Amino acid sequence: MLTLSGVFAGYGGGDILRGVDLTVEKGSITCVVGPNGAGKSTLLKVVSGLLVPRLGSVTFQGESIAGKSPQAILKGGIVQVMQARSLFPDLTVRENIELGAFLINDQKIVQQRFNEILDQFPMVKDRLKDKAGSLSGGQQRTVEFARALMLDPALVVLDEPSMGLEPKAAAAMYGYVRQMREHGRTVLLVEQNVRAGLGLATHGVVLEAGRVRLTGTGKEILENPQMKVLYLGGSTQTE
Amino acid sequence: MHISRFGSVASRHKVQLGAALSAVALAVTGLAVPNATAAPKPITIGISVSLSGDFSGDGKATQQGYKIWATWQNAHGGILGRPVVLKFLSDASSPTQVVTNYQKFITSDKVDFVLGPYSTKLTKPASDIANRYHYVMLEGIGGGPSVFSRGLKNVFDVSASATYQLVTYAKWLAATQKPQPIAYATMDDPFIQPMVDFAKAYLDKKGFTDAVYKVYPAETTDFSPIASAVAASGAKIAILGTMPPDGYSMIQNFIQAKYNPEQLILASGPDQGADFTKSVGITNTEGIMVPNTWIPTSNYPGNKDMVALYIKTYGGDINAINADVPEAFAAGQVLAQAVNKVGSTSNVKLQAYLHSGAKFTSVQGPVQFAPDGENSGAAPYVFQWQKGQYVPVLPLGGPDKVSPIETLRPAWGTTPGM
Amino acid sequence: MLVLQAIIEGVLVGGFYALMAAGLTLVFGVMDIVNFAIGALIVLGAYLSYSITTHFHIDPFVSLIFTTPLMTALGMFIYVFLIKPIKTNKVVMSLLTMFAVATLIEGILDICYNSGFVQIHASYINNSLRIGKLNFPLIYVLSFLLSAFLLSCLYLVTYRTKFGRSLRASMQNPVAARLVGIDTDRVSMITLGIGIGLAAIGGMIFGTTNAFNASSSYDIISRLLVIVILGGFGSVGGALVAAIFMLVIQDVVAVVWSPVWGSTAFYMILMLVLLVRPQGLFGKKGVRAQ
Amino acid sequence: MTLLGVEGIVKNYGGIQALRNCTMNFQEGAINGLIGPNGSGKTTLFNVMTGYETPDSGKVTFRGKDITNSTPDEVFAAGIGRTFQLTRIFPRLTVIENVHIAAQRKGLVAQMRQWSQPDERARALESLDFVGLTKLSREPAGSLSYGQQKLLEFAFIMVAEPKVMLLDEPAGGVNPTLLKHLGGRIKELNKTGVTFIIVEHDMEFVMGICDQVSVMHQGSALLEGKPEIVRNDPAVLEAYLGTDMTEVN
Amino acid sequence: MSTDTTISQRPTPPSYEVPKAIRYGALTVGFLVLVIFPLVFNNPTISTIGVFAMIFLMAVTGWNIFSGYTGYIALGHAVFFGIGQYATAMLASYWQIPPGWETFLLIPVSMFLAGLAAIPIGLIVLRVRKHTFIVLTIALMFIFQLFAYNLRGWTGGSQGLEVSQPPWDGSIFNLPYYYVGLFLAIIAIVTSFMIRRSKFGLSLLAIRDDEDRARSLGINTRNSKLTAFVISAIFLGAAGCMYAMFVGSVYPQFSFDPAFDLELSIMAFAGGLGTILGPSLGALIISGAQQYFLITFGGANVFLIVYGALFILILRLLPGGVVPAISDKWRSHVVRKEQRILDSELEGPAEAGAHK
């Protein structure tokens, strides 16, 4: 569905991604893990069009999307939920969610989706009139999720959905991710909580220093002895 | 037809008798006439005018006045038989540029004479420069008292001194009416405020009191609180030190506040002809007074020609002529008379002559200079709008015939016959 | 009674100032631009209305149908050709650019209109309503109503329409706004269009209540800036409250004491408020450590 | 002896609790490592210790003195220097000028003297040499790469000769050769009496140079000890890899 | 420790600055031109423009010491320009200084008073940043203008004040003003230069780039900003004094003029904000050109249009200003040269840099 090959990208000075090859299968939950600074967030920016890759190709459903504007990519069916602070704090929850459908002009569809989403996220229903800034961290995340689904995207890109959340809230987020897959969406996510992320994922990708180091199912990767080296350093012998 | 130079007032009056039309005809062909013979070297005169910035409105009127004077003067033989050529530079209403401009006129262009710019604020630095090079500065539109209090010997104002312009009215008031409260409001301005303050000082001495006295800053755009304060005083007489645009706003605010003083006199504004009637509405003009140094219909030398020329050149009617025009025109007239009398282009001689107590004539009336350079010969007029006409009403017993003054203004919007 | 009258006048005129300041503050909120040309643009709006009313004998309020779209288009044009290309030091460069635009406009108006003072006219301009001893000049009441109407429209646009949402979203989080598909450039262009379109309306009001010429702009701009600062950059409601508050204080000082001190009070209040609250009366503290 | 300590720090941002009753002590003369998964509150703790954030409750002490409400400059003047995770350098100044900024001078006359005095210059060049940026000393700092900016930031803090250096991910984006070198110099500086507190995700680096490692998890201290002990503690790995919370539900 | 040696053995970094010989050569030529200028162009018109250019030169250099170095764009420095003017006019009459050389003694007094006034003003306005700072400075200027109007007992109100002019002959009148102006302008430039190369100046530039970070590195940002503000005000005071003496009259409207600061910032921007000589260059070119333009084409009223259009053009074409544009040109020249050398070296064993 989404294919990156030989992608080099970075800001100003140097490249942070140095030849990333990655495939996201349709209907999968693909989880990218890796130590800080490995280039996970940069990867997502390339996918969502906020960053133009210097080299390499990015194709989505057979079409090249490298260098396209965020709007064009959104229209193509990729929606991203950013790592932090992506809500508009002074807008109400309802407005925030409706903004997710900014690109849809048919109010009927918007209303219909909105109702669907309310069913999907019961918490949101109770807080529609509150300002987004007044919600707790977990609630804000939920609103971001809800907003992302307004476009009925084929691919949802999540940047660390559990970051800064209490375990219970994080668990709820993971529940939502599963739900998305059940609804037939493909999910690409980046996660620091390796075990949780890979446990959730159907496919795992380990990124390190701007390159893909390991791929496989979530379970395979979790059990791979190289993981400890990647995360805690040292050599496998100390095991 | 060739008109030789005319050195005396008398001969000029003769020319006056040839109606305005002939002067206009001359003006059209005028420039060619003096050149019929050997084409004498022209007399050059440098003038800085404000074509942009705060003073641009008056600056342009000033320039018109000077231009018309030059046309007229050339039609009447120029100065010393030589044609007059004016050089204008814009000063963008800035004293910095005024300083540079007059330096350029005097030292680079080596003009024969200079005439004054618009406004007291710019006349001060300009006259310093002229003084430095021993040039005479004749002017008609920068007569704030501070121009003359500096001891400069080269500045001469052909218009009536600012300080006395409202005193004509004050004198009449004190002579004919019982002491009563008067409402004063004046702009903070070096030319306008002294007018009001002198009148007030005079009236105070005669027992009149002030119902309210407000000074407002020059950049005021909203006059409603000031107008309200004046209206609330309920005074039957209001003396306002206004510049044209705020005068209009003030009247508008009075109308809105339904304040209807029996006598209303503005320092300037009602003298602006069509600008004034269009801004406040002709039906609201009845009985409003304004001091002025010039009567549009007067028979002073050159006046009829000037008016005709103005209308021919710039259009409009007699009431559309801005007061800056005759003030500039008069400065030129006095310069021409004095230089012709002196018989040379020497500024030193000219200065001495102007200080000699010699009498001149101008479209604004007689001119005679006091030692400080102010015009002691002028009698400021007071005009009143009566039935849509701008007519002189004061001073009584002056050289010009005046209409009877209306002492009771009617209600707003009820100009008779309108 | 005089004080009451001054308060009423302050409120009425304050409404007009609030409308002008609303355009200024929106432009700031979305684009981080201090629109220094607002004064010249208001005068331009006044002249446009003046020309239309004198040549076609149309009511000044009706003339807005023509001038407002024209000025809005001008605003968009300015954004696309002058503001958008600015890459570095945006705050100051845009300020200076707008100043240059103001100079240009003043120069053009000066030539076109020959710098005499003019005023826009309508038959009802000198009428006023009287309630008891209080006096409500009709034109002020009308312009206050128009301002109030437009401010409510502005409120509705920003709070009830899709564009309004994208506008508020761009103000609060430009990156996230782009991620939900908002073209922030377009939003900026339209916002500057609105800001300058409002100047057309403000210009008409200014032109009916004041005689003006091409150089009249400087008296307006400094007050508007003060109101915007006091109301908090980007806050339309703040601008409204600040405008009325400032104008009322100024007018009351003017009648009770002296008009010259009324103006001084206007600026002194700004100083005093900022000493206590550097972010203005309604501004939010927006300083982050990292 | 405890040089820098925090006691019961609580810090909330909106709905998120960044620090929950965090108590920690850093020993004088040691190289302290501070590790923990992302979002565990390490940077927030740094911010609280250096005066960039005021805690909701709790106390920060330096040499036994309460510095909880000190401003960043006061903290710096007291001898605590720090670097940032996202570097904060002066982009329009050249590299060498950046290094000179933190060199302290007292008095107006001294302030008015040329910014580059011979002794300062020697120190500045030394520290630039140390991070390998000498060649770029006249480049505007903003044109450096992310990793180079990190090194630059380290270099200019070093010039101020603080008693404690708080390094927030000094290894991020720095290449391995230089990283080794950096570790060597940190040790060397440490011998001269400088205390270090290092937040770092590069475990090899942390384990290699730290005397003491503290682990943070969910806003509070999880445990503290020698690197080997910490490394082999199952709780630490658990904290890093996270519990598979999908199964908790 | 092999890395250590390789690092310190690296060649000394290339200088991207224009070489000293060229810079000092240009400076000397510029200085000599300014010194002999009024002697060669002895027409008082030209030297009048020269005097105003000198006044703007010291004013913009002073302005740049604060606004250029700290990045705080002050649009209310006319306050100090006005204070200099009013101090001169008021003291000249209060002390009854006869017109002539003695008036020049008011320059240091005006500088002192402007600097003194800058302390409380700075303490107030420097509490805020960015746009708020800009608008606050404008508001402050209006407050002073209104005080000048309202406190008529001292300031003469709208009547203004005057400084009597010396009875010198027109042909040499401008020269003392020009040379005193040049002298003060040079002092301003030298001060600016000393500050730029001082530790204090470095602190100011650090404040411009990241004020909070600078503070966290132990820079007393408040005192540094205030000091720069005061120094800057001192030169504005000098400029005001010169202006009042030269023009001879002082009015609230012209002394506290909002357009004054915009002009200063345009000059500084055109020349290169925050550079030492950029603003000076901007002042010489723009104030000279503006006046020359007006006296040449001033009869027509297209002045504002041409001025505005040119101004937009400068902002578009030279967003950084003239001086940075020159140094950028030089820099790319050096870099290209370096690249060629490097390319030829790379023929040998490739020595990859530590990082890109």
Side-chain angles (χ1 to χ4, degrees), chain B residues 248 251 264-266 268-278 280-292 296 317-321 382-393 403-410 415-416 418:
Chain B
Y248 310 154
I251 289 175
L264 175 60
I265 183 162
L266 279 69
S268 69
D271 56 339
Q272 302 290 311
D275 265 11
F276 171 70
T277 52
K278 271 196 235 157
V280 304
I282 189 93
T283 55
N284 295 316
T285 57
E286 190 63 20
I288 296 175
M289 289 182 272
V290 62
N292 203 346
D317 60 29
I318 189 162
N319 287 336
I321 300 174
V382 172
F383 282 72
Q384 190 170 41
W385 283 88
Q386 296 180 357
K387 301 188 180 67
Q389 295 299 313
Y390 181 65
V391 296
V393 290
S403 310
I405 193 163
E406 278 177 19
T407 49
L408 261 178
R409 279 188 54 262
T415 297
M418 285 287 139

Side-chain angles (χ1 to χ4, degrees), chain A residues 62-76:
Chain A
E63 233 179 282
S64 173
I65 57 165
K68 283 199 174 166
S69 73
Q71 283 106 307
I73 291 174
L74 270 175
K75 275 187 187 151

Side-chain angles (χ1 to χ4, degrees), chain E residues 47-178:
Chain E
S47 57
T48 299
I49 295 176
V51 173
F52 285 124
M54 288 306 124
I55 290 172
F56 271 108
L57 190 54
M58 71 182 95
V60 79
T61 307
W63 184 84
N64 185 57
I65 288 176
F66 175 73
S67 288
Y69 291 163
T70 66
Y72 276 74
I73 303 301
L75 293 185
H77 264 45
V79 165
F80 308 112
F81 186 61
I83 286 175
Q85 293 186 38
Y86 270 95
T88 305
M90 283 155 80
L91 291 175
S93 71
Y94 183 73
W95 286 334
Q96 297 179 339
I97 297 173
W101 278 108
E102 294 91 333
T103 326
F104 284 87
L105 295 175
L106 287 173
I107 293 173
V109 183
S110 302
M111 291 167 85
F112 173 77
L113 290 175
L116 197 66
I119 296 171
I121 293 172
L123 284 175
I124 294 172
V125 296
L126 290 171
R127 289 162 52 96
V128 295
R129 294 186 191 179
K130 286 183 83 182
H131 307 76
T132 314
F133 176 82
I134 295 178
V135 177
L136 199 54
T137 54
I138 297 175
L140 199 85
M141 195 200 57
F142 281 108
I143 291 178
F144 270 79
Q145 192 192 61
L146 287 162
F147 276 144
Y149 271 119
N150 298 353
L151 304 174
R152 47 184 58 246
W154 294 319
T155 62
S158 60
Q159 305 290 327
L161 295 171
E162 48 273 331
V163 184
S164 300
Q165 301 214 324
W168 299 333
D169 187 71
S171 57
I172 51 112
F173 185 92
N174 292 342
L175 293 183
Y177 294 92
Y178 181 85

Side-chain angles (χ1 to χ4, degrees), chain D residues 31 126 130 181-194 196, chain E residues 1 4:
Chain D
I31 302 178
E126 192 193 346
F130 162 58
H181 181 67
L182 186 79
R185 286 309 287 253
I186 289 178
K187 275 188 176 157
E188 227 168 274
L189 277 175
N190 178 243
K191 275 188 199 127
T192 67
V194 181
F196 281 89
Chain E
M1 286 268 110
D4 235 353

Side-chain angles (χ1 to χ4, degrees), chain C residues 183-199:
Chain C
D183 184 342
T184 46
D185 264 338
R186 202 174 139 259
V187 170
S188 300
M189 184 182 80
I190 296 175
T191 310
L192 195 60
I194 292 180
I196 291 176
L198 287 177

